[in-house]
Amino acid sequence: MKFINFDEIDSTNDYLRKNHRLEEFEVITAKKQTAGKGKRGSAWISNEGAALFSFAVENNKEGLQEKITIFSGYAVYEILKKYIEKSFTDSAYYQNLKFKWPNDIYYKDKKICGILCEKIREHIIIGIGININNTDFGMYKDKGISLFEICGKKYSVETIIKEVMSFFEEKYKSVNKNWENILEKINEESYLKGKTIKIKKEKKLGEKAYKFLRIDRSGKICLIGKGDTEEIKFESLDFEVIL
Ligand code: BTN
């Protein structure tokens, strides 16, 4: 695995997209990003102390596009869980770490990691932002949380990136073979389990309440509307958690 490290860059995803001959698992890291990108055109506040990195994989596995965001979240989830587990003896602490479909990791009701996957020609770029030692989340002030805030300790950002990447690269070889197990884990640890959500259309929140059922084999979210007998599925969805 090769690393290219920057002190400051606009966006590690954009660097790969614009400037680079894509090589699988070559990791671009930055201490800071001046134009960090989040999903749906939002900004990703990228201050020092966060893990900010991107890499590409070849889009050559069956159904990869449907799986890759979830799989990436699974890799980050497992590494963060290990750190939180080490820090506390009480399991209640690491049980607060949850996977929020499709591409976030939450601790309690705050986001600790966001993932942005972008398809580019024969590759998929995976951009990961994890709040490690940083505590300033800018406009997302009350919505973000870092590993430091959870565990009360500072960590080596470089080591965490390497651990995520090693876990990713190793498990990625058998992603299709182990997909059912990964899904089971992700469904078990789903932030949306037991929660009521409302669907947003063109940024407007609908009235109808839905319950989360599961994430299915193709990475779609399955919901059931209050009073409905048939479930509905979405590949991507703008929604808000109500309860
Ligand atoms: C989201 O939750 O909206 C996705 C956030 C993804 C942020 C990471 S930080 C590294 C990489 N470079 C970017 O510009 N974005 C991703």
Side-chain angles (χ1 to χ4, degrees):
M1 200 183 301
K2 216 164 100 189
F3 285 82
I4 301 179
N5 305 311
F6 290 93
D7 280 341
E8 188 174 299
I9 199 173
D10 51 357
S11 149
T12 52
N13 266 41
D14 281 353
Y15 176 84
L16 275 178
R17 204 162 48 82
K18 287 191 227 145
N19 306 333
H20 214 69
R21 174 186 48 82
L22 293 174
E23 206 179 289
E24 240 190 359
F25 296 118
E26 188 169 81
V27 190
I28 312 300
T29 76
K31 288 195 177 130
K32 277 191 218 166
Q33 292 182 129
T34 50
K37 298 191 309 182
K39 53 182 178 279
R40 296 193 189 92
S42 64
W44 180 259
I45 309 291
S46 303
N47 293 322
E48 220 163 322
L52 309 162
F53 60 109
S54 303
F55 58 98
V57 291
E58 283 171 27
N59 191 5
N60 59 3
K61 288 186 196 275
E62 194 208 314
L64 186 64
Q65 237 173 295
E66 299 156 357
K67 296 179 180 134
I68 196 70
T69 332
I70 293 174
F71 177 75
S72 309
Y74 161 70
V76 177
Y77 174 86
E78 288 296 327
I79 300 302
L80 288 180
K81 185 175 163 211
K82 192 187 79 179
Y83 274 85
I84 299 172
E85 244 169 4
K86 260 196 219 158
S87 205
F88 300 103
T89 43
D90 184 348
S91 68
Y93 283 94
Y94 58 79
Q95 278 163 5
N96 287 324
L97 190 74
K98 297 285 174 200
F99 175 84
K100 182 168 178 246
W101 182 90
N103 55 0
D104 294 334
I105 312 287
Y106 267 51
Y107 188 83
K108 291 189 180 161
D109 290 316
K110 294 183 175 183
K111 182 156 157 172
I112 183 166
C113 166
I115 297 167
L116 180 67
C117 294
E118 301 182 282
K119 189 176 172 301
I120 168 108
R121 299 181 292 276
E122 287 83 41
H123 287 85
I124 300 175
I125 294 174
I126 300 156
I128 302 181
I130 315 173
N131 298 322
I132 308 283
N133 302 320
N134 52 317
T135 51
D136 178 3
F137 309 112
M139 60 189 163
Y140 303 112
K141 180 154 101 22
D142 301 318
K143 296 185 177 158
I145 192 163
S146 64
L147 197 59
F148 169 67
E149 289 173 320
I150 299 168
C151 302
K153 277 181 233 156
K154 298 243 174 173
Y155 293 94
S156 158
V157 173
E158 198 190 322
T159 306
I160 293 181
I161 296 178
K162 283 191 177 144
E163 285 183 45
V164 170
M165 287 309 304
S166 303
F167 184 95
F168 187 110
E169 202 175 354
E170 181 51 37
K171 302 281 179 196
Y172 183 69
K173 293 178 193 146
S174 48
V175 57
N176 281 347
K177 198 169 134 242
N178 290 332
W179 188 234
E180 294 296 338
N181 293 340
I182 295 169
L183 267 186
E184 198 182 313
K185 175 99 205 163
I186 283 303
N187 272 309
E188 238 168 64
E189 302 301 339
S190 174
Y191 173 76
L192 297 175
K193 218 161 129 180
K195 295 211 164 66
T196 300
I197 69 175
K198 286 189 175 174
I199 295 175
K200 270 185 182 171
K201 273 194 193 129
E202 281 138 28
K203 295 193 177 161
K204 270 187 79 183
L205 200 62
E207 278 301 310
K208 197 171 167 92
Y210 293 85
K211 280 258 180 252
F212 167 81
L213 293 175
R214 82 195 92 81
I215 300 159
D216 78 359
R217 293 201 85 249
S218 58
K220 293 194 183 84
I221 190 170
C222 307
L223 306 174
I224 190 138
K226 216 169 165 213
D228 292 350
T229 47
E230 253 179 70
E231 65 184 55
I232 47 170
K233 294 184 179 199
F234 295 94
E235 197 169 310
S236 72
L237 179 67
D238 202 3
F239 63 89
E240 217 156 82
V241 176
I242 305 301
L243 292 170

